[in-house]
Amino acid sequence: MIFDDKRKKLQDELRQSGRLPAGQSLTLKWPVLHVGTVPSFDPKQWDFKVCGLVENPLCFKWHEFQKLPRKRINADFHCVTSWSKFDNEWEGVPFSVIAEKAQPKPEARFVMVLAENNYTTNLPLEDLMASDVIFADRHAPEPLDATHGAPLRLVVPHLYAWKSAKWVRGLNFIAEDEPGYWEQFGYHMYGDPFREQRFQS
Ligand SMILES: Nc1nc2c(c(=O)[nH]1)N[C@H]1C(S)=C(S)[C@@H](COP(=O)(O)O)O[C@H]1N2
Ligand SMILES: [Mo]
């Protein structure tokens, strides 16, 4: 198959250049992976709440969130089930824009990301402040598809993709690390694909 030859050649190049983490293989398609059903979106009902250890708790309506400053990033995406999708053009609101408005208290060192259907995932605040961490509503040139997390998903390129919560609805700033949905089932608390931090040891 010509398609698979092309994929394998690209995969070898990416592995040699150090861009493809160990135990991962390249996909040219975009798999859809999540627990539960795709939630419905009503722009009138939707909100995004920021709570916990912040000076300014926030609640954005959809039309307010859309007015926030935006950026576009190019990033690779590594799922713990072993596929990696390269060169995604994500567009949306940087996490740092939200943090700037919320003003985390000095004790806030971790964040529990809150999504639809009670999906959660935990990250260090410092990681979320990286310049390429965004709340995306576009996978350029297309708007984000509902199956991939529309209206809004988190994108954290440097960690395994389960940290990139789809259908995100809020943030809870906390002092101590706590396991989110998959972390409670034994997935790694941090999840660095380049150190193969798939499961807790
Ligand atoms: N809300 C929510 N976000 C989620 C998940 C989920 O089950 N629910 N699965 C995660 C996992 S394991 C992966 S690999 C990516 C998959 O994103 P995709 O379906 O856009 O490829 O979404 C992540 N975000
Ligand atoms: Mo995943």
Side-chain angles (χ1 to χ4, degrees):
M1 270 170 57
I2 295 164
F3 180 76
D4 207 50
D5 285 351
K6 189 181 144 208
R7 189 195 64 81
K8 285 206 180 98
K9 187 166 173 284
L10 201 55
Q11 178 172 284
D12 289 344
E13 285 168 15
L14 289 165
R15 206 181 290 288
Q16 272 157 28
S17 72
R19 252 177 93 188
L20 186 67
Q24 295 295 109
S25 60
L26 177 69
T27 177
L28 300 178
K29 299 178 197 137
W30 190 5
V32 169
L33 212 68
H34 54 258
V35 283
T37 53
V38 175
S40 60
F41 168 53
D42 176 353
K44 288 198 184 70
Q45 298 291 324
W46 188 95
D47 61 12
F48 186 93
K49 287 198 174 84
V50 181
C51 65
L53 299 171
V54 292
E55 298 295 345
N56 308 317
L58 302 168
C59 182
F60 298 94
K61 302 299 294 172
W62 179 244
H63 67 93
E64 295 167 333
F65 202 93
Q66 284 187 304
K67 291 191 191 115
L68 296 170
R70 301 171 62 83
K71 80 188 282 187
R72 187 188 276 204
I73 61 152
N74 176 289
D76 303 337
F77 196 57
H78 309 291
C79 171
V80 72
T81 63
S82 90
W83 53 267
S84 292
K85 178 172 162 55
F86 279 70
D87 288 315
N88 300 279
E89 294 279 329
W90 302 106
E91 212 183 282
V93 177
F95 176 90
S96 60
V97 167
I98 307 295
E100 171 78 16
K101 289 186 186 295
Q103 290 293 316
K105 294 183 178 176
E107 319 82 274
R109 289 173 52 237
F110 294 89
V111 176
M112 189 64 83
V113 178
L114 313 170
E116 299 276 359
N117 301 330
N118 299 320
Y119 186 84
T120 54
T121 189
N122 55 302
L123 298 98
L125 174 54
E126 195 185 343
D127 285 76
L128 289 166
M129 291 300 288
S131 62
D132 59 353
V133 172
I134 67 172
F135 293 103
D137 57 13
R138 293 188 73 82
H139 185 268
E142 308 290 334
L144 197 62
D145 190 83
T147 62
H148 289 298
L152 194 69
R153 84 175 297 162
L154 179 63
V155 175
V156 186
H158 68 283
L159 298 176
Y160 279 122
W162 85 79
K163 300 283 183 182
S164 292
K166 305 197 270 192
W167 314 298
V168 64
R169 290 288 300 273
L171 302 168
N172 184 14
F173 286 71
I174 53 182
E176 304 295 335
D177 204 7
E178 285 172 28
Y181 179 85
W182 283 117
E183 294 83 4
Q184 283 176 28
F185 286 101
Y187 279 41
H188 201 278
M189 289 293 269
Y190 185 65
D192 180 348
F194 288 92
R195 286 188 279 166
E196 283 203 81
Q197 293 176 335
R198 297 172 192 274
F199 306 102
Q200 282 158 57
S201 42

